[in-house]
Amino acid sequence: KPAEQKHPKEPSSLQCMHLAVVACGDRLEETLIMLKSAVLFSNSRLCFHIFAEDSLKPEFEKKLKEWPSSYTKKFESNIYPITFSVGNAQEWKKLFKPCAAQRLFLPVILKDVDSLLYVDTDVLFLRPIDDIWHLLREFNSTQLAAMAPEHEIPKIGWYSRFARHPYYGSTGVNSGVMLMNLTRIRSTQFKNSLIPGGLTWEEMLYPLYQKYKNYITWGDQDLLNIIFYFNPECLYVFPCQWNYRPDHCMYGSNCRGAEDEGVSILHGNRGVYHDDKQPTFKALYEVIRDFPFEDNLFQSLYYPLQSKFLDTVHTLCGRIPQVFLKQIEKTMKKVYENRVIVYLGANHRY
């Protein structure tokens, strides 16, 4: 009888949900709060890929090590320098916000990573990453990335009114939360406006930027819109509750998915965590920032949040607090139930 073949154990990095972020300038705290929200609520192991300026690397390492072991065991982290594989590095670095164009190069840099969730530093998870990660299974055979629309209503959307370049669909897409099958991106020949045949992702980036650089306003997000304009079959569009921004409530509520299910991922663009223009967004940021890791989630996170929200009911976004609270409440109940079950199981005596 032949000896039974043993399959090698899958390395831990392959069992991870991979999360990437790019941090430059003054984005250290914001990035750490985003990572904290990811760890607080997620069920599966996380692999953080942090792209940061050299000056920030020691700070990231120091701060992440300060988290309690009950949380640090839930993730592993890698910190990378800012690098651009094609074209002029300084030009890429200054495109739109400092270093934002780095996200375009993730398929090229993270060669051993199959799938990845990229988020901006100003994102907060209000439910487990596991839930958005599962959307990868919903991709059809041609889809290789997923984003939410830039706006729900074309007549008040930015792209439909002002864009001077091609963009995806009727409103364009927002790249602040982007789910990617990197394996598919690396192996696809993309249709484009440069040559009649297809180009690989890496071949396409710099020539595309050169062609449209005088027409783009939002940097790398515009380039992604141009790419998916020519390759619409490659994009999976997820609903607005997975990338909920001030635009969804400051002109009246226009994200139906958030009204029905609650906000899943909060995206505080326009700097709203740091000024007083949108107090509901700022309240969520501050409560997650100030949450002491080992404390009771309801007592030290949910109740302070409810109390802060009472002060925001006079604002357009604050008029609908349940939109912000529904998903986070559901998530915390699950976390609490799981802990109680584990605790009871460990202490049960027959």
Side-chain angles (χ1 to χ4, degrees):
K1 188 180 176 181
E4 192 179 317
Q5 245 186 334
K6 287 190 178 176
H7 293 287
K9 202 175 177 190
E10 196 180 36
S12 62
S13 62
L14 292 179
Q15 297 166 336
C16 277
M17 297 182 297
H18 294 270
L19 178 67
V21 64
V22 180
C24 284
D26 59 357
R27 299 298 182 115
L28 177 80
E29 183 195 71
E30 214 173 64
T31 307
L32 287 165
I33 308 308
M34 180 277 290
L35 297 172
K36 184 179 184 181
S37 73
V39 172
L40 279 180
F41 301 129
S42 292
N43 303 315
S44 306
R45 186 167 177 76
L46 293 158
C47 279
F48 296 150
H49 301 275
I50 303 164
F51 291 80
E53 287 175 310
D54 294 344
S55 59
L56 295 179
K57 185 181 178 184
E59 276 300 296
F60 271 116
E61 288 172 341
K62 176 174 172 272
K63 296 285 184 189
L64 289 171
K65 277 179 187 159
E66 288 171 0
W67 291 4
S69 61
S70 55
Y71 286 92
T72 56
K73 70 183 182 188
K74 291 172 72 176
F75 69 88
E76 57 187 71
S77 59
N78 295 291
I79 303 171
Y80 308 81
I82 303 294
T83 52
F84 304 99
S85 60
V86 291
N88 181 320
Q90 283 311 307
E91 214 171 356
W92 283 122
K93 198 169 180 181
K94 290 173 186 166
L95 183 64
F96 188 44
K97 287 181 182 171
C99 309
Q102 181 70 77
R103 86 184 92 183
L104 297 172
F105 294 86
L106 297 176
V108 183
I109 299 166
L110 300 172
K111 291 185 190 303
D112 298 327
V113 175
D114 173 62
S115 294
L116 179 81
L117 177 63
Y118 164 86
V119 295
D120 284 349
T121 59
D122 52 10
V123 153
L124 291 170
F125 294 95
L126 305 187
R127 67 190 284 183
I129 289 186
D130 310 62
D131 298 338
I132 191 169
W133 193 255
H134 290 155
L135 294 181
L136 286 162
R137 298 177 193 162
E138 295 188 18
F139 284 17
N140 66 24
S141 59
T142 61
Q143 289 165 339
L144 45 76
M147 287 185 269
E150 171 64 21
H151 217 285
E152 297 302 297
I153 305 162
K155 68 180 181 188
I156 57 172
W158 193 91
Y159 283 105
S160 44
R161 289 185 297 159
F162 305 117
R164 297 162 61 208
H165 58 76
Y167 57 88
Y168 178 87
S170 58
T171 60
V173 281
N174 183 282
S175 58
V177 179
M178 187 176 176
L179 192 59
M180 293 181 272
N181 182 320
L182 299 184
T183 303
R184 285 189 182 180
I185 291 174
R186 287 187 285 263
S187 63
T188 297
Q189 293 282 318
F190 291 88
K191 297 188 290 291
N192 59 84
S193 59
L194 305 163
I195 63 165
L199 289 170
T200 66
W201 186 266
E202 190 176 16
E203 287 168 343
M204 180 174 52
L205 289 178
Y206 195 61
L208 204 64
Y209 166 64
Q210 286 297 319
K211 178 168 181 175
Y212 290 104
K213 67 179 179 182
N214 295 327
Y215 305 100
I216 59 180
T217 303
W218 308 111
D220 50 303
Q221 176 172 294
D222 289 348
L223 287 177
L224 289 164
N225 267 283
I226 294 164
I227 290 169
F228 290 112
Y229 168 83
F230 289 106
N231 301 270
E233 73 285 354
C234 293
L235 191 67
Y236 176 100
V237 179
F238 50 68
C240 48
Q241 66 264 30
W242 293 103
N243 185 349
Y244 190 88
R245 283 158 277 130
D247 287 13
H248 289 120
C249 52
M250 62 194 277
Y251 307 116
S253 181
N254 61 45
C255 175
R256 185 62 194 268
E259 289 171 35
D260 294 344
E261 295 179 31
V263 174
S264 297
I265 294 179
L266 193 76
H267 183 181
N269 63 346
R270 304 175 182 267
V272 293
Y273 297 147
H274 313 294
D275 61 30
D276 297 315
K277 289 177 184 167
Q278 300 298 339
T280 40
F281 282 76
K282 189 177 184 182
L284 265 158
Y285 179 81
E286 289 179 345
V287 166
I288 292 174
R289 179 194 67 195
D290 298 340
F291 172 69
F293 271 105
E294 302 286 19
D295 267 25
N296 177 293
L297 279 166
F298 273 102
Q299 195 176 314
S300 301
L301 201 149
Y302 187 71
Y303 297 136
L305 198 51
Q306 277 188 315
S307 145
K308 271 180 183 266
F309 272 15
L310 287 174
D311 299 330
T312 73
V313 290
H314 63 285
T315 67
L316 273 169
C317 292
R319 286 186 312 174
I320 42 171
Q322 71 281 5
V323 164
F324 295 89
L325 293 170
K326 194 181 285 188
Q327 201 52 247
I328 202 167
E329 182 179 4
K330 195 172 159 187
T331 299
M332 280 194 281
K333 276 182 178 164
K334 272 188 191 166
V335 170
Y336 180 72
E337 283 164 12
N338 290 343
R339 283 183 188 165
V340 167
I341 290 163
V342 168
Y343 178 79
L344 287 175
N347 290 279
H348 200 75
R349 295 284 181 272
Y350 289 96

